[in-house]
């Protein structure tokens, strides 16, 4: 592996209008698949449905805003500077509960096909076909599963 430096605000950016601006900060190819780092700018009131990453651990870093995190049925309120760890196979979700856009950075360990999944979500959104059922279908192709509603 080679060292990598990414300046703030850079990385491949995928915009899901009125929901999330997702950036792939460090792709899995940089770490030989050991990890991938993403960042979301999340609109108020927005968060994904409850879901599971079957083969990946995930760590959230709250950079800005107020978020509720639900991890394995426990509710945590998180602010800037907070960190949360989600072991693989654990049901979890998050929601921006603040009055302005929030910013989350998160790492998947191992990278798996997380980038391919978010790109598939993005492609479906560009065609106007990214409803909850389509998201669930896509997720299953990448060892993820949506298992319930958003918070």
């Amino acid at each position: 592996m080679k060292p990598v430096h990414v300046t703030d605000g850079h990385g491949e950016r995928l915009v899901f209008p009125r929901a999330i601006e997702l950036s792939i900060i460090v792709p899995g190819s940089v770490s030989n698949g050991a990890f991938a780092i993403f960042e979301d700018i999340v609109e108020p009131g927005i968060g994904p449905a409850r879901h599971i990453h079957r083969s990946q651990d995930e760590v959230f870093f709250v950079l800005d805003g107020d978020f509720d995190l639900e991890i394995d049925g426990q509710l945590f309120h998180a602010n800037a500077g907070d960190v949360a760890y989600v072991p693989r196979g654990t049901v979890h979700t998050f929601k921006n509960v603040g009055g302005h856009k929030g910013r989350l950075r998160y790492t998947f360990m191992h990278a798996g096909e997380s980038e391919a999944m978010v790109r598939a979500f993005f492609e479906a959104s560009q065609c106007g076909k990214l409803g909850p059922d389509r998201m669930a279908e896509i997720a299953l192709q990448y060892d993820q599963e949506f298992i319930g509603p958003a918070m």
Side-chain angles (χ1 to χ4, degrees):
M1 282 190 287
K2 294 181 180 181
V4 64
H5 172 249
V6 180
T7 57
D8 195 31
H10 288 81
E12 180 184 351
R13 193 170 138 216
L14 307 173
V15 178
F16 297 83
R18 296 174 306 282
I20 291 174
E21 296 175 32
L22 185 151
S23 294
I24 302 170
I25 304 295
V26 178
S29 59
V30 170
S31 69
N32 292 329
F35 64 89
I37 301 174
F38 297 81
E39 185 174 295
D40 289 350
I41 298 174
V42 184
E43 293 286 340
I46 297 297
R50 289 170 178 87
H51 59 282
I52 295 172
H53 306 287
R54 297 272 177 217
S55 60
Q56 297 165 298
D57 296 329
E58 185 173 16
V59 178
F60 287 101
F61 302 87
V62 179
L63 302 178
D64 184 40
D66 299 301
F67 288 87
D68 279 348
L69 306 171
E70 184 182 305
I71 304 168
D72 199 23
Q74 294 183 322
L75 185 63
F76 303 94
H77 185 74
N79 300 298
D82 290 359
V83 175
Y85 169 67
V86 182
R88 67 191 70 200
T90 302
V91 176
H92 64 286
T93 190
F94 65 82
K95 182 178 183 179
N96 178 352
V97 295
H100 61 87
K101 292 179 182 181
R103 191 163 69 134
L104 286 175
R105 190 167 288 164
Y106 49 100
T107 301
F108 286 112
M109 299 159 303
H110 68 282
E113 295 186 278
S114 51
E115 296 156 54
M117 183 180 69
V118 298
R119 286 187 186 108
F121 288 156
F122 182 70
E123 185 177 307
S125 77
Q126 296 302 289
C127 300
K129 298 178 181 177
L130 188 64
D133 291 341
R134 183 66 184 130
M135 283 187 79
E137 290 170 7
I138 292 169
L140 285 172
Q141 296 171 23
Y142 297 98
D143 206 23
Q144 323 274 330
E145 184 177 2
F146 285 96
I147 60 143
M151 275 198 255

